[in-house]
Each structure stands twice: as C-alpha cells, then as structure tokens.
Amino acid sequence: MILEPLLQDGGSSGEAIAPDHSQLLPSPNLDNILNMAPQENPLRQLLAEEQWEFEVTAFYRGRQVFQQTLFCPGGLRLVGTTADNRTLPGQPVTLPDPEEFLTDRLAREYVRHVLKGLGKGLALWRSGQCLWAQRLGHSHSFWALGEELLPDSGRGPDGEVPKDKDGGVFDLGPFVADLIAFMEGSGHSPRYTLWFCVGETWPQDQPWVKRLVMVKVVPTCLKELLEMAREGGASSLRTVDLHISNSQPVSLTSDQYKAYLQDLVEDMDFQATGDT
C-alpha cells in the first residue's frame, strides 16, 4: 500500500485529496494475498527429524509383552538389559524378561538367550529421508515392511540387519509417491510398519506367532500421513488437519495436501526446518 501525500498540489481548499485508484486495483481476494508470499510446506515440519516418535511393540511367541510410544529424535536401541552401555547413541528400549509372560520354561530360556544376544542393541534411527538399522550384538535380526496388525509371513524378509554397519530399512521417497497414488485411487495402501524378527530366521510361510521375539516399530508421523490421505482422499472439498508439535493445527483440502506431497517428492532431499 502506498500512502499519498496529505496535501496535494492544486487543492483549492487545502484539504487532503485521495486519488481514485478504484479502476487500477483488483478486488480483494484472500487467495491473491496468500499467493504473494511463498508458502512453506507444512509437511516438512511434520517430517522433521526432531518431530519423529516411534511406537514400539514386542511379542514373545505371538503374545504382546511390551508397547510404548517413544519420542526419540536421535533414534532408539532395542536391548535386553538395562545394564547396557548408555554412552551409545539412541534411546535404549529394554525388552522385558519373559518370566511373567510365558509358561513354557524352555521357551523362557530361549527368549532370555535371544535378549542376552542383543548386547549393545539393535539400533534404528532416521537420517535424511531414510531409516537405518544396525546390529550391535550377536543375535541376528531380519526385517520387513508389513501391515500394522501383522507381518507379511507369506514372503521372505526384506533383508537382514547388518552387523556394525548401517543398513537402510525405509525410504520416504517411495512411501510419499505411493501415498499420492493411493489418493488418486490406486487402491494400494503404502506400508510404513517395520517388523523385526530377532534371534531367528524370518517366519516365511510359517506362523509368525511361533517366533520367540518379534518387534514392531511404527513411525507415528507416517501413520498420520496415511490417515490424512484416507480422510481427504474421497473428495477435494474435505479437509485434513495437521497436528504438529508446538504449532497450531493446519487445515488443508485434499488437493492442497496432495500438492504438498508432490512437492516433497520433487525435492525429497529437503532440509527440514531447523536442520543444518
């Protein structure tokens, strides 16, 4: 907005004369005002590394023995004892002793053997657009992406967690691309749940409930992204809410939501707010 001088040359009475710009200015429009400044993609804040939390659930012989949602931007480590080395990176998550969960004495001993073999832990952390895992102990671990309710035991694992070196277990790029396709009617729901089989081979073509130790890890922000896609995917007139820590909820139409997802795909190596 430009303010004209209070006194105009040529004014006969010395009063302020406001020039008529009504033919030059467009009618006020909120969309025009909002589009004047670049819009920050709110999904970047939702996916920022400092926002990540994980829901961890452990099963012994198919029985749930542990569940906790952990806010751990630096990652986590699954361990079998609280006496592990806490100087290592990642928040230690101690799996419980099987005594009060399993009635079979031999099964309890086997589970304890697996937990002891975790040693310094099974580490999982976020770096860039990927999740990485590393085995720091003796117990071998296999992983696969599966449904949230149960692992996919009808096929082999996606891989074995490597010993003392980084191994990629999840990539945000394909997930976001599949999420867009899901909103466009592909019918394929992208997977985000990591399953780990600890101390034994993957239960391919076998009941997973027979395995001694299975651990499920759900990145809660990815679960929220899929739920928002389900809420807003049916109609472009519906809105989805982004509930981001330390900020107000943001409402988006499904078209806006999809556009922000496409922006992430095009620039997946983005630097989240506050990252260096």
Side-chain angles (χ1 to χ4, degrees):
M1 181 181 295
I2 300 177
L3 298 178
E4 296 292 334
L6 182 62
L7 298 178
Q8 302 292 323
D9 292 336
S12 59
S13 62
E15 296 178 353
I17 301 175
D20 185 6
H21 292 319
S22 61
Q23 303 301 316
L24 303 177
L25 298 176
S27 59
N29 185 295
L30 182 60
D31 290 336
N32 290 338
I33 296 174
L34 292 176
N35 289 334
M36 290 174 63
Q39 297 297 300
E40 177 65 26
N41 188 334
L43 301 185
R44 297 189 181 190
Q45 186 177 355
L46 180 68
L47 294 175
E49 291 186 29
E50 62 267 21
Q51 294 283 349
W52 277 54
E53 64 179 14
F54 300 93
E55 180 187 86
V56 181
T57 309
F59 302 86
Y60 297 163
R61 284 290 179 89
R63 179 176 180 179
Q64 181 177 317
V65 299
F66 175 90
Q67 185 175 64
Q68 189 174 357
T69 300
L70 305 161
F71 179 72
C72 42
L76 57 88
R77 281 183 299 116
L78 300 174
V79 296
T81 172
T82 56
D84 81 305
N85 191 341
R86 292 181 176 271
T87 63
L88 293 173
Q91 180 175 335
V93 180
T94 305
L95 301 182
D97 185 86
E99 180 67 33
E100 62 180 285
F101 302 106
L102 299 178
T103 58
D104 187 289
R105 182 187 61 82
L106 194 57
R108 292 198 301 266
E109 291 304 315
Y110 283 146
V111 169
R112 289 192 181 105
H113 180 73
V114 170
L115 297 181
K116 182 180 179 180
L118 279 171
K120 296 178 181 179
L122 174 62
L124 178 70
W125 71 97
R126 157 88 184 275
S127 180
Q129 68 185 57
C130 295
L131 287 175
W132 304 84
Q134 181 180 145
R135 175 168 64 91
L136 304 174
H138 298 298
S139 291
H140 289 253
S141 297
F142 296 85
W143 68 273
L145 281 173
E147 302 293 341
E148 186 170 347
L149 296 181
L150 74 166
D152 187 354
S153 57
R155 61 182 178 88
D158 290 322
E160 181 178 359
V161 178
K163 167 76 170 169
D164 295 332
K165 64 179 181 179
D166 303 349
V169 296
F170 183 85
D171 191 331
L172 272 172
F175 172 82
V176 176
D178 288 346
L179 197 58
I180 295 172
F182 174 75
M183 294 186 70
E184 294 174 343
S186 71
H188 172 68
S189 177
R191 293 182 171 184
Y192 54 85
T193 301
L194 282 164
W195 286 88
F196 294 92
C197 180
V198 184
E200 296 178 281
T201 58
W202 184 259
Q204 184 174 353
D205 298 324
Q206 298 176 356
W208 71 275
V209 295
K210 298 295 185 181
R211 287 298 184 260
L212 292 170
V213 180
M214 296 284 292
V215 179
K216 177 181 71 171
V217 180
V218 177
T220 58
C221 63
L222 303 184
K223 181 178 180 179
E224 291 173 8
L225 286 178
L226 180 57
E227 290 177 350
M228 288 186 290
R230 286 172 173 162
E231 291 173 3
S235 169
S236 61
L237 299 179
R238 297 183 62 185
T239 61
V240 295
D241 290 328
L242 294 177
H243 295 277
I244 302 173
S245 301
N246 303 320
S247 67
Q248 296 296 321
V250 179
S251 293
L252 304 172
T253 66
S254 62
D255 286 342
Q256 290 173 320
Y257 180 48
K258 187 165 67 173
Y260 283 132
L261 289 173
Q262 290 169 335
D263 175 62
L264 291 183
V265 171
E266 294 169 2
D267 186 23
M268 186 48 69
D269 294 324
F270 64 87
Q271 289 291 327
T273 304
D275 289 353
T276 56

